[in-house]
Amino acid sequence: MTLGLNPEQQQLAEAVAQFAARHAPIEKTRATFDALGAGDLPQWWDEFVVNGFHAVHLPESVGGQGGTLMDCAAVLEAAATALLPGPLLPTVIAGAVGSLAPDSPAAGGLLSRLAEGAPAAVVPPGDALHAVPTPGGWSVSGTADPALGACSARVLVVAARAGERTLWFALDPSRPGAGVEALDGTDKTVDVGVLRLDDYVCEQDSVLAEIDDERARCLAVALTASATSGIIRWCVDAVTAHLRTREQFGRPIGTFQALQHRAATLLVDSELATSAAWDAVRATSENLVQSRIAAAGAALIAVSPAPELVLDALTMFGAIGFTWEHDLHLYWRKATSLAASIGPAERFARSLGELTRTESRDVSVKLGDLDAEFRRMVAAVLDEAGTLHNDGPGRQGDHPNLATGPQRTRIAEAGLIAPHWPPPWGLGATQLQQLIIDEEFAKRPDLVRPSLGIAEWILPTLISAAPEHLKQRLIPPTQRGELVWCQLFSEPGAGSDLASLTCRATRVDGGWRINGHKIWTSSAHNADFGALLARTDPGVAKHRGIGYFIVDMRSAGIDVQPIRWVNGEAHFNEVFLTDVFVPDEMLMGEPTDGWSLAIATMAQERVAISGYVNSDRAGILRRLAIDGGPDGDRVLTELGRVDAYANAIKVLAVREVIRLLDGQAAGPASSIAKVAMNVLLRRISEATLQLTAPAAMVETTAEGRLPVVEQYFHLPAELIGGGTKEIQLNIIAQMILGLPRS
């Protein structure tokens, strides 16, 4: 997905792409590198200005387009994707920073000049420039750090230290006392220069009042992330096209699984970068803490990793990607320059860790008064449920979300456990209504939202394929928590390759006789029913001869043997089936519908697993950060890194919801989130083990299991459940990127 989610933003981005294709194809840009580096504007700049692309975010009152900052971010992303040269990004950042001082006369003049087409650059706060008061204004001196667009700028937005505070000025670099030295920039598509001021006189009317340094920094990072998002997206497209067409050993290299996985991983990183950039732009209008959290996340997920992500793409091209003639190195240069422009990643990680010790990113969709009548109904049910209590433990485990009793029953009967299911099992809730339900549960933190456990993945198949009397018999008690389910899919010789299963279903009088061996079956030891796949027709193609059965786990011929985990617990099992009779009514659909029904079940499973990020997986790191200690700085840095990644996954899901609310088709978010969750959990566990050492030397004390080891030894179940990372990468490579199968 691009940054722009609505059709207007997508059309705006497409208009920028078309402009770039007409006026600035990369072969023409190559011929202007020296001129661009010296600060010359591209020949098409005036026409670009006439189209208003540079001033999308500026108010109409100063000559801008009156759009949002997100509209502007869509322009920057499209421009970077097309490698559009010139000082667009620094000019846009200058306008955004100037807009932070709306009541300042200097700001009004600055924004008007920018709307007219004057290129600009920003010199951010630091210790290099100092301002001292003079009669009627200020005198500024010092040598700033290199800044993008400084040579081509007709106006500079400059921050200077004035004692203990920072002052912002709108300066004319052509006036006496100012000089800009052009440098040999890494990015050949925009100039880089050093500003030197020697008693530069700033009248009072050139002071940009009321600008908050942190707000300005957040804006700069968010807009820079919008550009790097476009760079990474270009790499995904370029790599995919290359892998489809480049041949070695007589076949496209896109059939090689190693390259498929690398391309799929690049797509995952690209989607997370886009999500983080989008969130940082969105957060610029929120309170400062939220904006700082989102901006730091964009720095760590979208900007700082960009050079390495482009390098990954380059290596997939082989030696050709390392030549001057190939365009890829120009994107690599731009990514490297932009990452350097925001400062060290370590600084953002530590800052984010300091914030998220006690604060969290609010990524919720603001719904306001939408569907107020539905909200009142939900609120009334939950208020009533809050007066009730559950008096029975969950049969899948003693967890609050699995508990049984009057409270759960009331919520289930109201259709709020799985509200997206059709009535009477759910409410047929729209995406908007599901968000309203989420909000209402969130308002009542003492009211635990019930979970269906494994049944959440299975019952949709019953709803779509089971006879009515079977639905009535099985679904309501499952929702009340009275029935427990397991999933009998994997086999010792098949694993995730369901088309290779060998469990056999043979038709007999009144039903089917099942023989086979299932493995890795969670909750089979206390399940009442299981969803089972078995081969009904061995004479057809492997995935066509499979049936989907509901099996009574108390049936004769079922032998459940627990499999102990590394921590000694037994949560899943081997299941041996010997002449197990299953009545005809327990076959879902036709005898060979099992493959399609299983795919639907696994899609539900992937969605459920990707939602785990809503719980705090970095709790141990967060407690370490709060407690402090000798490794406090390192703890904060690691916490910041994992929180940035976790927040990007959350935002990925939010963006998908917004698309669905807009009536767009579902995208690949669930598979991408599953891979990203796998990466996140590994990162958290590694950091936790290192920072709590030597705690992991001990598993159990007199008080019970230590959380460090307990959490770590539960990790494989989450990494493997719902399909391994490698399986998901296969899906992304072949079904989303369209790379050829072997």
Side-chain angles (χ1 to χ4, degrees):
M1 293 187 285
T2 58
L3 276 173
L5 291 179
N6 64 49
E8 293 77 13
Q9 291 166 349
Q10 293 165 1
Q11 291 166 9
L12 179 60
E14 180 58 28
V16 173
Q18 292 175 359
F19 181 95
R22 289 195 308 272
H23 297 278
I26 294 179
E27 59 270 18
K28 285 188 176 182
T29 297
R30 285 175 174 270
T32 62
F33 283 166
D34 290 342
L36 290 168
D40 294 347
L41 290 174
Q43 293 181 347
W44 44 260
W45 182 263
D46 289 343
E47 186 169 348
F48 193 76
V49 168
V50 169
N51 281 278
F53 294 133
H54 72 301
V56 167
H57 60 310
L58 299 183
E60 292 181 350
S61 59
V62 299
Q65 303 299 306
T68 66
L69 200 65
M70 193 66 75
D71 298 333
C72 184
V75 169
L76 293 175
E77 181 188 42
T81 303
L83 206 71
L84 192 70
L88 175 61
L89 175 61
T91 300
V92 167
I93 294 175
V97 172
S99 297
L100 293 176
D103 299 327
S104 167
L110 167 68
L111 298 183
S112 294
R113 288 194 64 190
L114 297 182
E116 292 169 358
V122 176
V123 177
D127 296 325
L129 301 181
H130 296 272
V132 295
T134 63
W138 298 84
S139 175
V140 186
S141 297
T143 301
D145 291 332
L148 295 175
C151 301
S152 57
R154 305 295 184 264
V155 59
L156 291 167
V157 177
V158 175
R161 296 293 298 167
E164 297 298 319
R165 59 179 177 147
T166 301
L167 293 179
W168 289 80
F169 302 94
L171 306 185
D172 183 346
S174 66
R175 285 181 50 187
V180 178
E181 177 189 355
L183 302 178
D184 182 13
T186 300
D187 180 1
K188 300 305 177 184
T189 66
V190 65
D191 63 272
V192 180
V194 170
L195 172 67
R196 290 186 173 87
L197 299 176
D198 185 9
D199 291 330
Y200 182 96
V201 177
C202 298
E203 291 80 8
Q204 194 62 41
D205 61 5
S206 67
V207 178
L208 298 167
E210 303 175 12
I211 290 183
D212 182 282
D213 293 0
E214 287 293 341
R215 284 283 185 193
R217 186 174 290 109
C218 290
L219 276 169
V221 170
L223 294 171
T224 302
S226 301
T228 55
S229 171
I231 294 170
I232 302 167
R233 183 166 306 283
W234 180 89
C235 289
V236 172
D237 293 340
V239 162
T240 302
H242 178 71
L243 296 184
R244 286 174 181 164
T245 57
R246 172 69 170 159
E247 291 192 356
Q248 285 187 1
F249 309 111
R251 57 181 177 146
I253 62 174
T255 60
F256 303 158
Q257 188 176 70
L259 289 174
Q260 287 193 354
H261 285 189
R262 291 182 62 192
T265 299
L266 183 61
L267 175 64
V268 171
D269 291 332
S270 174
E271 292 296 327
L272 294 178
T274 301
S275 296
W278 179 87
D279 192 44
V281 173
R282 179 177 71 148
T284 56
S285 61
E286 301 177 23
N287 71 62
L288 184 56
V289 169
Q290 290 293 309
S291 186
R292 288 181 62 197
I293 292 174
L300 294 168
I301 302 299
V303 183
S304 294
E308 284 298 300
L309 295 178
V310 183
L311 180 57
D312 285 343
L314 185 152
T315 58
M316 281 186 270
F317 277 84
I320 191 175
F322 192 50
T323 61
W324 182 267
E325 288 73 19
H326 200 284
D327 293 336
L328 204 153
H329 82 94
L330 300 176
Y331 289 88
W332 191 21
R333 287 174 171 275
K334 180 174 282 293
T336 301
S337 179
L338 291 177
S341 74
I342 68 169
E346 196 86 356
R347 182 192 306 159
F348 286 101
R350 190 184 188 286
S351 173
L352 182 56
E354 287 180 333
L355 290 168
T356 57
R357 283 184 302 179
T358 56
E359 300 283 346
S360 60
R361 176 74 182 113
D362 178 12
V363 300
S364 61
V365 180
K366 307 302 185 286
L367 300 177
D369 296 328
L370 295 174
D371 208 340
E373 182 177 349
F374 181 82
R375 184 182 293 275
R376 284 192 293 271
M377 181 277 292
V378 173
V381 171
L382 297 186
D383 285 342
E384 180 185 349
T387 66
L388 306 173
H389 300 281
N390 290 321
D391 49 16
R395 294 186 51 226
Q396 283 183 254
D398 190 13
H399 305 290
N401 63 339
L402 298 174
T404 59
Q407 184 183 87
R408 181 189 180 105
T409 297
R410 178 67 186 99
I411 295 172
E413 290 175 344
L416 294 179
I417 289 186
H420 56 294
W421 292 352
W425 327 114
L427 299 173
T430 64
Q431 286 289 333
L432 171 62
Q433 290 171 336
Q434 291 176 58
L435 290 177
I436 290 173
I437 295 169
D438 291 345
E439 282 191 356
E440 291 301 316
F441 268 106
K443 291 177 183 177
R444 298 162 177 82
D446 294 333
L447 182 63
V448 177
R449 188 168 188 172
S451 170
L452 292 169
I454 295 170
E456 183 176 349
W457 316 333
I458 298 173
L459 292 193
T461 301
L462 271 71
I463 292 173
S464 65
E468 188 62 30
H469 73 278
L470 199 59
K471 298 177 187 177
Q472 296 289 347
R473 172 187 163 196
L474 298 178
I475 297 177
T478 301
Q479 292 185 314
R480 293 193 298 267
E482 298 164 3
L483 293 180
V484 174
W485 289 75
C486 66
Q487 183 175 284
L488 300 157
F489 282 13
S490 295
E491 297 184 3
S496 298
D497 182 13
L498 298 183
S500 297
L501 59 83
T502 59
C503 182
R504 181 71 59 85
T506 305
R507 186 180 288 279
V508 296
D509 187 24
W512 301 78
R513 190 75 63 189
I514 310 291
N515 285 277
H517 179 190
K518 299 292 181 175
I519 199 167
W520 317 127
T521 310
S522 299
S523 299
H525 55 293
N526 56 13
D528 300 289
F529 292 92
L532 178 140
L533 294 180
R535 188 161 302 285
T536 54
D537 187 349
V540 298
K542 293 194 298 183
H543 64 281
R544 293 180 180 174
I546 296 173
Y548 190 116
F549 298 88
I550 300 301
V551 178
D552 187 334
M553 294 300 290
R554 293 160 296 190
S555 300
I558 293 181
D559 180 20
V560 177
Q561 296 293 329
I563 300 174
R564 296 178 69 192
W565 288 6
V566 295
N567 60 3
E569 299 174 359
H571 293 284
F572 48 49
N573 312 266
E574 285 185 280
V575 179
F576 299 90
L577 302 106
T578 305
D579 290 335
V580 176
F581 177 72
V582 178
D584 277 327
E585 66 173 3
M586 298 298 234
L587 170 67
M588 299 296 100
E590 297 299 320
T592 57
D593 286 349
W595 176 262
S596 59
L597 294 173
I599 293 299
T601 297
M602 288 188 293
Q604 294 284 340
E605 183 177 3
R606 284 195 294 274
V607 170
I609 290 172
S610 67
Y612 286 174
V613 76
N614 290 324
S615 61
D616 183 11
R617 314 316 298 273
I620 296 176
L621 289 179
R622 209 170 312 284
R623 288 197 296 274
L624 288 175
I626 293 171
D627 294 341
D631 293 325
D633 283 350
R634 186 181 172 199
V635 171
L636 290 174
T637 299
E638 292 296 335
L639 177 62
R641 290 187 182 281
V642 298
D643 276 344
Y645 201 87
N647 288 341
I649 301 174
K650 293 179 185 178
V651 176
L652 175 76
V654 169
R655 281 166 50 82
E656 178 71 359
V657 167
I658 291 174
R659 291 180 64 257
L660 295 174
L661 287 174
D662 193 46
Q664 300 180 46
S670 64
S671 288
I672 289 171
K674 177 65 172 76
V675 172
M677 276 300 301
N678 191 297
V679 173
L680 174 66
L681 293 173
R682 293 293 295 269
R683 288 184 179 181
I684 291 173
S685 64
E686 180 182 6
T688 300
L689 287 175
Q690 291 179 357
L691 291 167
T692 58
M697 292 175 65
V698 179
E699 180 175 8
T700 307
T701 65
E703 291 76 26
R705 290 189 184 275
L706 293 178
V708 172
V709 177
E710 182 177 26
Q711 177 176 299
Y712 185 56
F713 285 161
H714 275 83
L715 187 59
E718 296 181 282
L719 298 180
I720 298 170
T724 64
K725 174 184 173 184
E726 289 70 27
I727 292 295
Q728 297 304 322
L729 290 174
N730 286 346
I731 293 172
I732 292 170
Q734 296 170 10
M735 301 183 66
I736 299 172
L737 293 178
L739 294 178
R741 296 177 182 270
S742 299

